Amino acid sequence: MVAKVFPFLAWFKNYDKASLQLDALSGLTVALVLIPQSMAYAQLAGLPAYYGLYASFLPPMVAALFGSSRQLATGPVAIVSLMTSASLAPLATIGSPGYIAYAVLLALMVGIFQLSLGVLRLGLVVNFLSHPVVNGFTNAAALIIASSQLSKMFGVYVDNAPHHYETIINVVKAAMHYTHWPTLLIGAFAFGIMYGLRWLSPRIPNVLVAVVITTAISWSTGFQHDRVVGIDAIESADVHHLIEAFNKAFTAISPLAEERTRLGEASSKAKQSHDEIHVLDADHMLEVTNWNIDHLKEEVHEHRENLRSILFDGVVQADDSMKFYPQGKVPAGMQSDGRTWRVKVGNEPLDTGNLKMMGGGAVVGNIPRGLPSMSVPKIEIGVMLHLMPFAAIISLLGFMEAIAIAKAMAGKTGQRLDPNQELIGQGLGNIVGAIGKSYPTSGSFSRSAVNLQARAVSGLSSVFTSLAVVIVLLFFTPLLYHLPQAVLAAVIMMAVIGLLNVSGFIHAWKAKWYDGAISIISFVSTLVFAPHLDKGIMIGVALSLMVFLYKSMRPRVAFLSRSEDEELRCVATHGLQECPYVTLVRFDGPLFFANASYLEDTITEIIRSKKGLNHILIAAQGINDIDSSGEETLSLLVDRVRSNGIDISMSGVNESVMEVFDRTHFLAKIGEDHLFPTLEKGLVAIHEAAHADNHEANCPLLNACRLVEN
């Protein structure tokens, strides 16, 4: 019982110094990959880069201690990071304090959901996400993730559009207008390093090498080149007006948002008191306020895009200050510094006394030194209700990814794996992680592979990984200041290449055409509806359930005859000849309320179409379960068939179905002499009587019966 609650105690059986050394080396090796990856994934989730380090602190250790896999490396991953961004974007501005708080709350919800499933031993619920759906979603997510990094690679800034493809179009337009070539080159250089080292020597931590080299280049060349100036330093009246209009529109939103909150509360109170007039008034004012807010947001968006599109030439003054002129409008006699400058415009009003002018590339910047503060996330019921479906999807997707990786490694190590215990580990990892300011995490394929390759013996390797992250947070965060954002984008793009799996579509189509269709539809839906990724998954799940229901309602009903090899096979599939006097029917699936009428219709059609029919033998070995509706249908069929002068029998009835027959007295109705243990024995028993007045030498079933008799 103790080992069940604390599964990590089993690690120390036959554990020695050599095992400890292997775990320590494996943990440090994984940390070298995790630290830069986690920062990249945090930005993919819409969070500051250092929140990736927070997500790499507690979750890997806790998930390993309470999970069942000894080599699974938990932490930030691409798919979960993308889902986090998609779920939080409608609630708060990306990167804002509210957004960060909701991300931590989401981690808590995901953890509680996973822990509940594990404790209740409901790990099988993950089967609702079929492989075709996951394959389609994963391929689409890989393209979305990779394309979402293009703005960082080109060094451009655009607002997110309602649909992801619209955002990418805007990125391409912005890149055609202006591309910061040093940013693109350093991103491409990092990509080249990672790809080259992966090809030349997979053992070398290619991500770490790329990060170290490019950070050193960024620091030594002054890759980041920003200036903070007052608005007077910009020599353009048009730009001054744009900044003023931007700030005016932005500041006007806040009081309207407060008014919207007040009206919403007033509407709720009016509904509670059943005051219909006040409800109508409040709802009308709420609609007007929402329209005004949307109008102002659109105005802010237009001003922001206009400001971002203006390029400046910088001129150094005698006192080392700078003046900025619209590109190509530097007064005669003045010399620009050769850089292209832009105004940094974010999601807050511009401080006209401290405008940030960008003349270089973007870097990670300041990372707070020290461990995150420990606190339980603030519980907000309204926000949690909105996040509930996303938390469920992230929980299932994250667990599917983790358990798939764990199973693959267990196959190589021979370790016993408990999916429900793994759910408990992943859930506790997210819950404890949320207390330490983490966003949702899951098992990582790439880092787990590194862990296994480094010969990790137990989950202590993940404990060493967490300790390495702690050391970085305490002592080495200043070294990450000059890490280019484009390099983190390259890290993400390199990581998601492995998620692309075109062969998965082909395999699904070859297995069943409708599985291939579901996979393709899930893929297209996810791309079209992005960033609303939940819609792509919901469509895929709905289609899977519809196919399942259709197949359950219309299971395969095969008419059998004897083939040349003396085996009973499907008439339609193998082009066999049927006996006109005996029909063999095989029903493949449980017989229950949803499909009982289908069997009834099939038997009725047989009676109508085969005029000389004397006997129907139902091969029931495919009926593995039956309910009262199925039994009632069989009982009615016996009466209907025999009232038409045709006899009916069954063969191969299993124990569970036979118990139902016995309790409902169906045995008495059909007659125990009409139930046969095997199909062959049934054929022997009924063949002669069915052909009493019709002795045909070429009956397709005749040779088989003689063979059995002999």
Side-chain angles (χ1 to χ4, degrees):
M1 182 63 185
V2 175
K4 191 70 176 175
V5 179
F6 304 106
F8 56 87
L9 294 177
W11 298 347
F12 303 107
K13 186 179 180 180
N14 302 323
Y15 198 80
D16 53 19
K17 184 179 179 181
S19 299
L20 181 64
Q21 290 174 341
L22 285 173
D23 280 340
L25 180 61
S26 300
L28 292 175
T29 304
V30 171
L32 295 177
V33 179
L34 171 62
I35 290 168
Q37 267 194 355
S38 66
M39 296 172 68
Y41 290 149
Q43 293 201 323
L44 176 62
L47 299 165
Y50 56 85
Y51 274 86
L53 297 176
Y54 294 168
S56 305
F57 164 34
L58 289 172
M61 178 170 57
V62 175
L65 288 171
F66 293 95
S68 64
S69 175
R70 299 188 180 188
Q71 287 81 28
L72 182 65
T74 300
V77 295
I79 295 293
V80 173
S81 298
L82 180 65
M83 286 296 299
T84 299
S85 174
S87 60
L88 299 179
L91 292 177
T93 302
I94 289 178
S96 66
Y99 185 95
I100 295 171
Y102 295 155
V104 176
L105 179 61
L106 180 62
L108 179 66
M109 294 176 63
V110 169
I112 292 173
F113 191 88
Q114 290 178 327
L115 178 62
S116 301
L117 290 180
V119 170
L120 297 174
R121 308 195 69 77
L122 295 175
L124 292 176
V125 74
V126 75
N127 293 333
F128 280 105
L129 292 177
S130 66
H131 176 72
V133 174
V134 174
N135 180 71
F137 173 79
T138 303
N139 277 276
L143 293 179
I144 293 168
I145 291 169
S147 59
S148 70
Q149 302 305 302
L150 290 177
S151 60
K152 292 185 176 69
M153 291 292 287
F154 289 123
V156 298
Y157 299 86
V158 299
D159 289 346
N160 287 329
H163 293 93
H164 179 72
Y165 63 85
E166 295 174 327
T167 303
I168 299 307
I169 292 172
N170 293 336
V171 168
V172 173
K173 289 179 179 178
M176 292 174 65
H177 174 67
Y178 171 75
T179 295
H180 187 246
W181 290 104
T183 294
L184 181 59
L185 289 174
I186 203 167
F189 181 57
F191 200 97
I193 292 173
M194 290 184 288
Y195 186 81
L197 287 177
R198 176 182 286 186
W199 181 66
L200 292 172
S201 180
R203 283 185 170 273
I204 297 176
N206 54 76
V207 174
L208 181 68
V209 172
V211 165
V212 170
I213 293 176
T214 53
T215 301
I217 292 174
S218 171
W219 169 76
S220 61
T221 60
F223 177 72
Q224 182 196 34
H225 199 84
D226 296 343
R227 281 285 187 115
V228 178
V229 300
I231 194 171
D232 293 338
I234 298 177
E235 298 292 335
S236 171
D238 291 340
V239 174
H240 290 188
H241 292 318
L242 265 178
I243 292 175
E244 181 182 352
F246 173 78
N247 284 345
K248 182 179 178 182
F250 206 107
T251 54
I253 293 176
S254 182
L256 285 176
E258 294 176 1
E259 177 67 10
R260 178 170 61 184
T261 302
R262 187 189 65 78
L263 289 171
E265 293 174 352
S267 177
S268 298
K269 290 180 180 179
K271 288 176 181 177
Q272 291 175 359
S273 60
H274 304 289
D275 189 340
E276 296 183 2
I277 295 177
H278 283 86
V279 168
L280 292 173
D281 288 342
D283 287 348
H284 171 71
M285 293 303 298
L286 195 58
E287 289 181 7
V288 172
T289 304
N290 282 330
W291 185 90
N292 288 331
I293 290 175
D294 292 340
H295 177 72
L296 284 171
K297 285 182 177 179
E298 183 62 29
E299 189 177 337
V300 167
H301 166 71
E302 291 178 3
H303 293 324
R304 183 162 44 216
E305 291 299 305
N306 288 333
L307 282 169
R308 285 171 174 169
S309 67
I310 299 174
L311 306 177
F312 298 90
D313 288 327
V315 178
V316 181
Q317 305 298 299
D319 60 354
D320 202 36
S321 64
M322 292 194 71
K323 292 287 186 180
F324 298 93
Y325 299 87
Q327 203 166 59
K329 295 184 179 180
V330 175
M334 293 186 179
Q335 183 68 36
S336 78
D337 64 350
R339 293 179 178 272
T340 298
W341 294 82
R342 294 167 291 168
V343 180
K344 174 69 173 178
V345 189
N347 292 312
E348 55 187 15
L350 293 170
D351 183 353
T352 54
N354 294 283
L355 293 174
K356 187 175 183 179
M357 301 295 294
M358 301 179 297
V363 297
V364 169
N366 288 315
I367 296 178
R369 179 180 290 186
L371 300 179
S373 60
M374 301 293 170
S375 61
V376 177
K378 182 181 178 182
I379 305 300
E380 297 185 37
I381 301 300
V383 174
M384 292 180 72
L385 290 175
H386 171 83
L387 292 178
M388 189 66 72
F390 296 98
I393 292 173
I394 291 173
S395 300
L396 296 179
L397 273 178
F399 175 64
M400 279 193 71
E401 187 172 3
I403 200 64
I405 299 163
K407 283 181 178 179
M409 293 189 297
K412 295 180 180 180
T413 62
Q415 177 196 342
R416 180 181 172 275
L417 195 66
D418 183 354
N420 290 300
Q421 187 64 48
E422 200 57 54
L423 264 173
I424 292 173
Q426 292 292 315
L428 287 174
N430 276 305
I431 291 172
V432 177
I435 296 173
K437 302 297 182 289
S438 167
Y439 73 96
T441 58
S442 181
S444 164
F445 180 81
S446 60
R447 296 193 297 272
S448 297
V450 170
N451 204 24
L452 185 65
Q453 190 178 40
R455 297 193 297 165
V457 177
S458 72
L460 272 181
S461 60
S462 293
V463 176
F464 282 110
T465 298
S466 293
L467 291 176
V469 173
V470 168
I471 293 171
V472 170
L473 282 169
L474 290 175
F475 304 108
F476 297 110
T477 53
L479 298 179
L480 299 170
Y481 180 94
H482 290 282
L483 174 58
Q485 296 277 10
V487 174
L488 293 181
V491 169
I492 292 175
M493 296 175 80
M494 187 72 184
V496 299
I497 288 176
L499 295 177
L500 291 172
N501 179 25
V502 179
S503 62
F505 295 105
I506 300 172
H507 177 80
W509 190 279
K510 286 182 177 179
K512 290 289 185 179
W513 70 266
Y514 48 79
D515 280 340
I518 289 173
S519 193
I520 293 170
I521 293 172
S522 299
F523 172 78
V524 174
S525 299
T526 303
L527 285 179
V528 170
F529 288 110
H532 307 290
L533 303 182
D534 57 309
K535 293 183 179 179
I537 292 181
M538 293 299 186
I539 289 173
V541 170
L543 288 174
S544 296
L545 291 176
M546 287 171 63
V547 168
F548 170 75
L549 290 174
Y550 180 80
K551 289 172 65 179
S552 298
M553 293 173 65
R554 297 180 66 86
R556 186 183 183 195
V557 178
F559 300 105
L560 307 178
S561 189
R562 192 69 64 170
S563 64
E564 293 180 357
D565 61 359
E566 295 296 336
E567 289 293 329
L568 285 168
R569 302 189 185 280
C570 177
V571 170
T573 302
H574 298 277
L576 303 176
Q577 181 184 356
E578 285 188 88
C579 173
Y581 310 113
V582 176
T583 291
L584 307 183
V585 183
R586 189 185 69 217
F587 189 85
D588 296 335
L591 185 60
F592 66 115
F593 68 92
N595 61 23
S597 62
Y598 182 59
L599 175 63
E600 183 179 11
D601 293 342
T602 302
I603 298 296
T604 302
E605 178 60 24
I606 293 171
I607 297 172
R608 187 192 66 79
S609 60
K610 297 184 74 171
K611 299 300 183 184
L613 184 63
N614 292 325
H615 207 115
I616 296 173
L617 178 57
I618 299 176
Q621 59 265 34
I623 304 176
N624 54 18
D625 193 19
I626 190 170
D627 68 358
S628 60
S629 298
E631 187 277 333
E632 180 69 19
T633 298
L634 285 178
S635 182
L636 292 174
L637 276 175
V638 170
D639 291 336
R640 180 178 300 175
V641 170
R642 287 176 177 171
S643 66
N644 281 273
I646 303 170
D647 206 354
I648 184 170
S649 303
M650 298 182 71
S651 68
V653 180
N654 66 26
E655 291 84 353
S656 62
V657 176
M658 191 66 77
E659 288 176 2
V660 176
F661 287 172
D662 189 40
R663 290 195 299 267
T664 57
H665 307 293
F666 178 77
L667 289 177
K669 168 158 287 197
I670 194 171
E672 292 189 17
D673 59 336
H674 283 67
L675 290 177
F676 306 101
T678 65
L679 186 56
E680 284 79 3
K681 288 185 177 181
L683 279 172
V684 172
I686 70 172
H687 190 273
E688 184 176 353
H691 291 74
D693 300 323
N694 304 281
H695 295 287
E696 290 194 8
N698 61 346
C699 173
L701 303 174
L702 185 61
N703 291 337
C705 293
R706 287 177 178 171
L707 183 65
V708 173
E709 287 174 338
N710 293 333

